[in-house]
Amino acid sequence: MSYSIFHIDLPESPEAVVFINGFVARDTAGFFWMWSKLLWIAKVTTQAEGCVQVKAGICSPNEVVMVSYWHSENSLKNFFRGKAHQEMMQFIVKNPDSLCLYNETYKPFKSGKYSHELQGMATIYAQI
């Protein structure tokens, strides 16, 4: 069985960013909030202007990580200012000890490798 591996034509100074955010439930309230809101968070993030793809992974019953791909850092910042993100943060304000949250933002510095179909940064930049 053979398949092709391809790279993307990444600009020298790409605008696109990768946002990684994680949720760790620290108590029962955080656990139920995380699992009841997970699909909604993925949906509203995917629908946000400038977001091109969201991936979610289960690390453990108490931890989930999401990776989202954005056309620009400004698109991501606009999402943070929006209604959906504010709604997410309401739980944190009311229950500050229930979740451990972490997030990191990255700019790609070289092309990844892809096979079969466009995923991640390849959904933003053309393949070569």
Side-chain angles (χ1 to χ4, degrees), residues 10-12 14 106-111:
L10 195 61
E12 192 169 312
Y106 298 98
K107 284 188 173 259
F109 64 93
K110 70 176 190 175
S111 175

Side-chain angles (χ1 to χ4, degrees), residues 2 5 12 26 38-39 44 46 58 77 90-91 94 98 100 115 121:
S2 92
I5 300 288
E12 192 169 312
R26 299 183 72 222
L38 188 62
L39 293 177
V44 297
T46 301
I58 299 169
K77 287 178 181 178
Q90 287 176 4
F91 177 81
K94 294 176 184 173
S98 293
C100 168
S115 70
M121 277 293 152

Side-chain angles (χ1 to χ4, degrees), residues 8-73:
I8 56 174
D9 188 14
L10 195 61
E12 192 169 312
S13 297
E15 284 190 43
V17 295
V18 179
F19 182 68
I20 299 171
N21 67 316
F23 311 84
V24 180
R26 299 183 72 222
D27 60 22
T28 305
F31 180 87
F32 285 112
W33 182 89
M34 181 179 74
W35 286 109
S36 69
K37 296 293 186 180
L38 188 62
L39 293 177
W40 175 78
I41 292 169
K43 179 182 173 185
V44 297
T45 304
T46 301
Q47 293 173 345
E49 186 174 339
C51 181
V52 295
Q53 193 172 55
V54 174
K55 302 285 188 174
I58 299 169
C59 301
S60 74
N62 290 338
E63 183 175 7
V64 173
V65 67
M66 292 184 134
V67 179
S68 53
Y69 298 86
W70 298 80
H71 281 290
S72 69
E73 196 166 353

